[in-house]
Amino acid sequence: MLIVKKFGGTSVGNKERIFNVAKRCIEDYQKGHDIVVVLSAMGKSTDELIEMARDINPRPSKREMDMLVTTGEQISVSMMALAMGFLGVPAVSLNAFQVAMHTTHRYGNARLKRIDTDRIRNELEQRKIVLVTGFQGVDKYDNLTTLGRGGSDTTAVALAAALHADACEIYTDVDGVYTADPRLVKNARKLDEITYDEMLELSTLGAGVLHNRSVEMAKKYGVQLVVRSSLNTNEGTIVREEVNMEKMLVSGVAVDKNATRIAVVGLKDEPGVAFHLFNALAKYNINVDVILQSIGRDGTKDISFTVAEDVADEAVAIIQKSFPKSDYKKIDEEKDVAKLSIVGAGMMSNPGVAASMFEALYDCGVNIKMISTSEIRVTVLIDQKYVERAINAVHDKFSLAD
Ligand code: ADP
Ligand code: ASP
Ligand code: MG
């Protein structure tokens, strides 16, 4: 069997953890399997590198940031190769350039385009454990790029697809995918299995346990994932196309604190305004999420929407540039908000689900600022200070606890 294993930052955070991972990989290697291991940077080292960079230059170049943070993963793989060598097992570490992992050239948020597998296959044939840096790639000009925060999961799934691996195992610091972030919701329950579609919604809506692109890619290439702990041998969560269980009404609750609400007040109430607004944002690659337009009154209307916090100021500047001042009254920006979402395939045929969520929020006194829905999700925007109270109330409402 060819197995791709991915270990996150906490799982390789210190010497003891590195040896723990090394031993787990060696166990499977000694059963005769081919092992490819994807690693993230040790502990919080990516955050630390970013902080150091901002201290030197508060508006750093994206190219240099990628050059910098890709070092974190390089440290992990070489340390791991040293540990495996110490344990007497041949291992080789490869960075994105050596593999090579080709990406687009969008620094900080590049997309994987193609992976050369020859080098990895060669090393495997020589019975080495192959250790690959997560989260990074190379563009067509040989610049190093990164895939976005949490992107090592995507590296692992992409490698599993490219190598036609028999298994893709994502090892992390919790036992699997839970009905909500177990650090926020004490009653959260581990799921035995979840569909790609549900997992994709959850990870896009803030469940950081898997990078959303990794789920997208797993679905596209039919890579079945197992999410489990690197610290114990408990069975994890399987992510796949179909699940055996009856579809749950709601399978999970997620929060995303990284949201800002922008309201453009007093726009002209005429055709083309929304197009003009969102087209301008799209041109600059700004992703817009929950959208709300008020009913027109006295020839004007308001449009509000959410964007990720780190692009909010840029979004406001784009609107100011794209509309003459006389075309609107003012732009409001609200940063202390969070998105709270419920996700479940069973929602499709059950109209009362949204109402139950709103009831849970009403019962705990949390006001809803915006609402958006899809076939398998309901998202509300709330004040950030109520996140913990709200997520626990909504989670309990749907009896997601044991
Ligand atoms: P890694 O470094 O292994 O990639 P991450 O920090 O990226 O780990 O992801 C694991 C974390 O995701 C957990 O520690 C947990 O707090 C968080 N998390 C958020 N939502 C969920 C969820 N629904 N199920 C499990 N973990 C979740
Ligand atoms: N080290 C990177 C990050 O912290 C990638 C990852 O952890 O997946 O975002
Ligand atoms: Mg992660």
Side-chain angles (χ1 to χ4, degrees):
M1 281 219 313
L2 195 164
I3 308 173
V4 174
K5 295 173 182 282
K6 179 259 167 178
F7 294 88
T10 328
S11 304
V12 292
N14 56 38
K15 178 179 168 185
E16 185 199 340
R17 296 260 168 99
I18 288 178
F19 272 105
N20 166 55
V21 168
K23 285 177 188 151
R24 287 191 81 142
C25 296
I26 288 170
E27 247 175 58
D28 278 345
Y29 169 85
Q30 286 174 339
K31 288 180 192 155
H33 302 309
D34 287 333
I35 310 291
V36 175
V37 186
V38 174
L39 298 181
S40 296
M42 291 172 65
K44 297 241 169 294
S45 62
T46 309
D47 289 333
E48 286 158 16
L49 288 170
I50 293 171
E51 211 171 293
M52 272 170 72
R54 288 195 188 279
D55 191 35
I56 285 180
N57 181 343
R59 301 194 54 189
S61 126
K62 287 186 174 169
R63 180 192 182 276
E64 298 311 326
M65 285 308 282
D66 278 1
M67 188 72 181
L68 176 69
V69 294
T70 47
T71 60
E73 273 65 18
Q74 202 163 315
I75 292 174
S76 300
V77 289
S78 46
M79 290 288 186
M80 188 60 70
L82 293 172
M84 289 177 173
F86 182 80
L87 297 171
V89 172
V92 59
S93 62
L94 300 174
N95 63 21
F97 195 82
Q98 293 166 316
V99 167
M101 317 260 307
H102 303 278
T103 69
T104 58
H105 56 262
R106 193 133 161 249
Y107 299 119
N109 199 15
R111 275 182 181 264
L112 280 165
K113 289 200 308 196
R114 187 168 50 84
I115 300 177
D116 296 339
T117 51
D118 292 357
R119 176 76 190 265
I120 295 179
R121 293 236 180 252
N122 262 323
E123 304 286 0
L124 289 174
E125 266 162 36
Q126 295 171 44
R127 280 304 285 153
K128 287 186 200 160
I129 295 184
V130 181
L131 304 161
V132 180
T133 48
F135 174 55
Q136 59 183 255
V138 207
D139 72 6
K140 64 179 169 193
Y141 307 110
D142 288 351
N143 294 299
L144 286 168
T145 56
T146 61
L147 309 180
R149 296 303 307 271
S152 299
D153 302 325
T154 302
T155 307
V157 175
L159 275 172
L163 293 163
H164 306 289
D166 300 286
C168 184
E169 302 165 352
I170 309 285
Y171 290 86
T172 183
D173 54 8
V174 286
D175 282 2
V177 178
Y178 281 69
T179 48
D181 186 341
R183 292 182 209 284
L184 277 179
V185 177
K186 65 173 186 322
N187 289 334
R189 183 171 55 79
K190 198 195 80 188
L191 298 165
D192 293 332
E193 45 184 14
I194 184 168
T195 65
Y196 293 129
D197 288 338
E198 289 171 310
M199 192 62 236
L200 186 56
E201 290 277 8
L202 279 177
S203 55
T204 304
L205 295 164
V209 61
L210 282 176
H211 192 227
N212 65 342
R213 291 247 200 88
S214 72
V215 186
E216 205 174 79
M217 197 172 289
K219 179 177 163 71
K220 184 167 170 195
Y221 294 101
V223 177
Q224 181 168 310
L225 304 178
V226 180
V227 182
R228 56 191 302 189
S229 171
S230 65
L231 305 167
N232 60 49
T233 54
N234 296 348
E235 265 183 41
T237 304
I238 298 173
V239 188
R240 62 175 158 214
E241 188 65 45
E242 289 283 340
V243 298
N244 296 325
M245 290 182 310
E246 194 182 333
K247 285 200 177 91
M248 279 197 290
L249 207 52
V250 171
S251 47
V253 188
V255 283
D256 183 0
K257 292 187 190 165
N258 176 28
T260 292
R261 175 166 79 153
I262 295 176
V264 191
V265 180
L267 284 159
K268 285 185 189 145
D269 189 18
E270 61 188 26
V273 172
F275 163 67
H276 190 40
L277 176 64
F278 294 115
N279 192 42
L281 295 168
K283 270 197 196 136
Y284 288 87
N285 282 312
I286 305 245
N287 269 327
V288 171
D289 202 7
V290 187
I291 300 175
L292 189 75
Q293 175 172 309
S294 70
I295 294 173
R297 231 178 243 128
D298 306 326
T300 70
K301 64 185 169 193
D302 309 335
I303 295 183
S304 19
F305 55 90
T306 61
V307 293
E309 198 168 331
D310 49 345
V311 297
D313 293 344
E314 195 187 342
V316 170
I318 292 167
I319 302 168
Q320 284 166 339
K321 237 180 10 199
S322 313
F323 285 86
K325 260 211 124 353
S326 54
D327 275 18
Y328 61 92
K329 215 154 91 203
K330 60 171 180 163
I331 304 176
D332 285 336
E333 220 182 318
E334 197 179 0
K335 295 203 158 152
D336 296 332
V337 291
K339 280 186 294 180
L340 174 68
S341 311
I342 52 172
V343 171
M347 244 181 243
M348 270 188 259
S349 44
N350 281 280
V353 176
S356 299
M357 179 188 193
F358 304 153
E359 185 182 24
L361 292 167
Y362 168 55
D363 287 346
C364 70
V366 173
N367 189 34
I368 300 171
K369 292 167 173 279
M370 284 169 109
I371 301 171
S372 116
T373 62
S374 83
E375 267 191 327
I376 64 165
R377 148 184 90 81
V378 181
T379 299
V380 297
L381 196 75
I382 60 172
D383 274 334
Q384 209 171 94
K385 60 175 184 276
Y386 298 131
V387 157
E388 201 147 339
R389 189 202 298 179
I391 191 173
N392 278 284
V394 170
H395 186 269
D396 291 348
K397 182 83 184 171
F398 291 101
S399 316
L400 294 170
D402 277 325

